[in-house]
Amino acid sequence: MLRLTDIKLPLDHSSSALKQEVIRKLELQDGELLELTIFKRSYDARKSDSIFLIYSVDVALTTAAEARCLEQFAGQGFVKPSPDMDYKFVTEKPADFPQGKQQRPVIIGFGPCGILAALLLAQMGLKPIVIERGQDVRQRTKDTWGLWRDRALNVESNVQYGEGGAGTFSDGKLYTQIKDPKFYGRKVITEFIKAGAPEEILFVSKPHIGTFKLVKMMENIRADIIALGGEIRFGEKLEHLNIVDQQVEGLTLSSGEVIKTKHVILAIGHSARDTFQNLLDSGVYIEAKPFSVGLRIEHPQSVIDKARFGDNAGNEILGAADYKLVHHCKDGRSVYSFCMCPGGTVVSAVSEPGMLVINGMSEYSRNERNANSAIVVDVNPEQDYPEHPLAGIDLQRQLEEKAYQMGGENYNAPVQLVGDFLADKVSEKLGSVTPSYKPGVTLSDLSQLLPDFAVKAIREAIPEFNKQIKGFSMHDAILTGVETRTSSPICIKRDKISFNSINIKGLYPAGEGAGYAGGILSAGVDGIKVAEALAIHLLS
């Protein structure tokens, strides 16, 4: 097959237009085009009055036509042989593999990274054991709504902990900027589709799933892992890694049970703060790493749609508009939008009592009234928290405790109108934008919540963002605090080839919590990489 890129068509093109354009560009004769599959569809909205769809397609041609096209368009860049994107297992457990030779690999955490690692190991016949401190996705959903509706926090089953990880209660975004020469991301998306995700996530440029679809998907993937001999234990927490002479020999659970194993994948997510401390105490090498803190901003989705799409706002193919913004401040700080949720809501993402932290979430339809996004400022160990490897967690907790107090110590979130924040004025009443956060909000002075450098940076950035998104700095838009868990504040260093911890053999740090991913797709990809490394070592 051949891959043909950069095919531009108008938004309202006919159902036959794509095929006709392929035939025209490749100068094909009748009968030479045998099959056409869309590989990627995106849009160019740089000019809101002239928006185009951009396609990349894979085409099957007759043998003669394919040879002619490769010769005729050689060097022009828009026609190349289609790469082989099918996943190839690096190894497979032999049928006669001695039962006593292996101790089953253990995976700590059942978010996107742990799920893909477990699925891959199960598909290779290695029957992994998964330890997840939270609950299965159905119970976890009930527990999470218990906070959002009734202000009741379950510290072991919430937005951060449980089947599916933190990404389950988010927009379900599946795009990433990681380099992926082996098409591991394709493997992740293919498995998601098999589990019930919309087939369009295979080709749209910014695929998303939405929370409620993710719930059913997680259940289906779990069933596949169990059917292949895997074991998943909910409500179990890693208490201690058993390490002898710098080698993992097993682990102790909070129940007191000891599991013997020499292979542990650590896929715990970015909020397992007590586990980070346990690992540090056990001698695992950990470094502090940069992350970001800030606020969530909410606008009417119609304002964002109009600014991005002009008269094309509301077009079904375009859907709810998103944005991605970056501003480099005069003092060297960077401010950027993060986890933008079109047609979504702002939600509580608390996992510890006496604290308040927020996130954004969308359903698949993205049809809620408001758009929201984090507006965050980079912080770094050298400049902002140089004390010790877990000092970034200390900073997060300080901000979350302050947000909890400002909200009224009842899980209300502190909010302020954008216009008042920019004018350094306390908001006295809400305007035309209704905050989506539940269970409730408290009008506050958010300049008292964030560090001074962050307040200064965000005040500088919002007017600049308004130059790109008209209406971004509208007075009545809502700012909500606090956003602290953009990424993990630590990195558990690992070898680049074996994927082992640099000082503990048999420990495989993986995913977002260990500092090697930033979102659902990249975490799933990292889970595949680590599972492959473990399988090769185990079966060698």
Side-chain angles (χ1 to χ4, degrees):
M1 298 186 75
L2 299 181
R3 178 159 297 166
L4 178 60
T5 61
D6 199 30
I7 302 174
K8 295 184 179 181
L9 292 173
L11 279 175
D12 59 353
H13 70 75
S14 67
S15 58
S16 62
L18 181 57
K19 179 179 178 180
Q20 292 170 356
E21 182 64 8
V22 169
I23 291 172
R24 186 194 69 80
K25 290 195 75 167
L26 296 181
E27 301 177 15
L28 300 176
Q29 303 300 313
D30 289 346
E32 290 186 324
L33 177 58
L34 304 178
E35 182 183 348
L36 184 154
T37 303
I38 298 173
F39 170 68
K40 190 70 66 180
R41 186 190 72 198
S42 58
Y43 58 79
D44 183 346
R46 287 174 293 180
K47 296 181 179 179
S48 61
D49 59 347
S50 180
I51 299 177
F52 289 91
L53 295 177
I54 304 174
Y55 290 90
S56 295
V57 298
D58 290 322
V59 295
L61 309 178
T62 62
T63 302
E66 180 175 322
R68 186 182 72 245
C69 287
L70 287 173
E71 180 180 357
Q72 181 177 349
F73 300 108
Q76 296 191 33
F78 70 93
V79 179
K80 295 180 180 178
S82 298
D84 181 1
M85 297 180 291
D86 291 339
Y87 181 75
K88 308 293 191 303
F89 289 98
V90 295
T91 186
E92 185 175 349
K93 178 182 172 182
D96 60 349
F97 191 79
Q99 292 298 312
K101 183 177 179 180
Q102 74 158 333
Q103 293 174 313
R104 293 168 69 182
V106 176
I107 299 167
I108 310 298
F110 203 48
C113 180
I115 288 169
L116 266 295
L119 181 62
L120 200 70
L121 290 174
Q123 289 172 341
M124 289 189 285
L126 297 178
K127 300 180 180 180
I129 299 171
V130 178
I131 304 300
E132 168 55 56
R133 68 190 295 174
Q135 296 299 316
D136 68 82
V137 71
R138 294 280 172 180
Q139 182 59 48
R140 179 188 179 204
T141 300
K142 294 177 183 178
D143 295 335
T144 298
W145 279 100
L147 173 63
W148 295 348
R149 290 174 174 165
D150 303 322
R151 307 176 192 270
L153 172 65
N154 185 327
V155 295
E156 293 296 345
S157 181
N158 47 58
V159 167
Q160 306 296 347
Y161 303 147
E163 183 175 25
T168 304
F169 298 98
S170 70
D171 191 51
K173 287 180 281 290
L174 296 178
Y175 46 93
T176 179
Q177 295 181 320
I178 63 170
K179 295 180 180 179
D180 188 19
K182 295 184 178 180
F183 301 102
Y184 288 157
R186 189 90 171 177
K187 168 70 170 171
V188 175
I189 290 177
T190 299
E191 294 293 349
F192 283 178
I193 292 173
K194 285 165 56 179
E199 291 190 7
E200 69 180 36
I201 66 173
L202 198 59
F203 64 84
V204 295
S205 62
K206 295 181 179 180
H208 75 284
I209 299 174
T211 291
F212 289 145
K213 288 183 181 292
L214 279 165
V215 168
K216 185 60 179 176
M217 280 172 45
M218 295 302 101
E219 292 180 322
N220 290 338
I221 294 175
R222 184 210 316 161
D224 286 345
I225 294 169
I226 293 172
L228 292 167
E231 180 181 344
I232 300 165
R233 303 189 189 182
F234 295 110
E236 299 262 19
K237 184 167 69 171
L238 172 67
E239 190 69 27
H240 183 69
L241 271 180
N242 303 329
I243 301 170
V244 178
D245 295 332
Q246 306 301 107
Q247 165 69 55
V248 170
E249 295 291 345
L251 49 94
T252 302
L253 304 181
S254 54
S255 64
E257 180 183 358
V258 175
I259 300 176
K260 292 184 178 181
T261 182
K262 293 181 180 292
H263 301 86
V264 174
I265 292 177
L266 196 66
I268 54 178
H270 59 40
S271 293
R273 294 165 171 173
D274 51 356
T275 304
F276 293 150
Q277 184 66 60
N278 287 344
L279 293 169
L280 188 65
D281 293 343
S282 297
V284 177
Y285 182 78
I286 297 176
E287 287 183 355
K289 65 173 275 295
F291 63 106
S292 301
V293 300
L295 308 168
R296 275 226 165 229
I297 192 167
E298 281 191 275
H299 302 87
Q301 182 63 50
S302 58
V303 170
I304 306 301
D305 289 345
K306 184 66 176 178
R308 293 279 283 116
F309 298 149
D311 292 340
N312 288 300
N315 184 284
E316 184 177 354
I317 292 179
L318 295 175
D322 64 1
Y323 55 77
K324 184 176 181 181
L325 302 167
V326 180
H327 173 67
H328 301 291
C329 297
K330 298 172 184 177
D331 64 2
R333 299 272 182 181
S334 292
V335 183
Y336 62 96
S337 61
F338 171 80
C339 186
M340 195 274 157
C341 298
T345 56
V346 179
V347 299
S348 177
V350 180
S351 58
E352 294 178 313
M355 300 188 191
L356 193 287
V357 59
I358 60 171
N359 193 16
M361 184 181 85
S362 294
E363 300 302 340
Y364 175 71
S365 60
R366 289 179 165 176
N367 62 1
E368 297 293 334
R369 181 185 305 172
N370 292 350
N372 74 79
S373 174
I375 302 297
V376 294
V377 183
D378 61 303
V379 294
N380 61 80
E382 295 80 9
Q383 187 173 0
D384 302 310
Y385 46 100
E387 294 87 357
H388 56 85
L390 304 186
I393 294 175
D394 293 342
L395 174 59
Q396 290 177 323
R397 282 176 165 154
Q398 290 169 13
L399 298 177
E400 292 169 20
E401 287 174 354
K402 189 180 293 186
Y404 181 73
Q405 294 163 2
M406 291 177 66
E409 300 187 356
N410 60 358
Y411 296 111
N412 273 15
V415 302
Q416 187 174 13
L417 301 187
V418 166
D420 292 338
F421 177 79
L422 294 177
D424 196 13
K425 174 184 175 184
V426 177
S427 294
E428 297 181 355
K429 63 179 181 178
L430 296 172
S432 59
V433 182
T434 301
S436 62
Y437 176 89
K438 295 291 185 291
V441 299
T442 301
L443 289 169
S444 306
D445 180 2
L446 295 181
S447 69
Q448 301 301 308
L449 173 58
L450 295 175
D452 290 342
F453 69 80
V455 173
K456 178 183 176 183
I458 293 173
R459 282 178 173 161
E460 180 181 326
I462 288 177
E464 294 300 315
F465 291 159
N466 192 71
K467 296 176 182 178
Q468 300 176 61
I469 305 290
K470 186 177 180 180
F472 198 86
S473 63
M474 63 181 288
H475 184 276
D476 287 358
I478 299 292
L479 288 169
T480 308
V482 62
E483 180 100 18
T484 60
R485 305 195 195 182
T486 53
S487 64
S488 180
I490 60 104
C491 180
I492 304 174
K493 302 295 288 185
R494 71 188 185 191
D495 180 80
K496 293 181 180 180
I497 297 175
S498 71
F499 291 88
N500 275 232
S501 157
I502 61 170
N503 73 322
I504 305 296
K505 293 180 181 178
L507 179 64
Y508 297 80
E512 192 160 346
Y516 296 99
I520 294 173
L521 188 59
S522 61
V525 167
D526 202 57
I528 292 174
K529 292 178 180 178
V530 171
E532 286 184 341
L534 186 156
I536 290 171
H537 182 266
L538 182 60
L539 297 177
S540 61

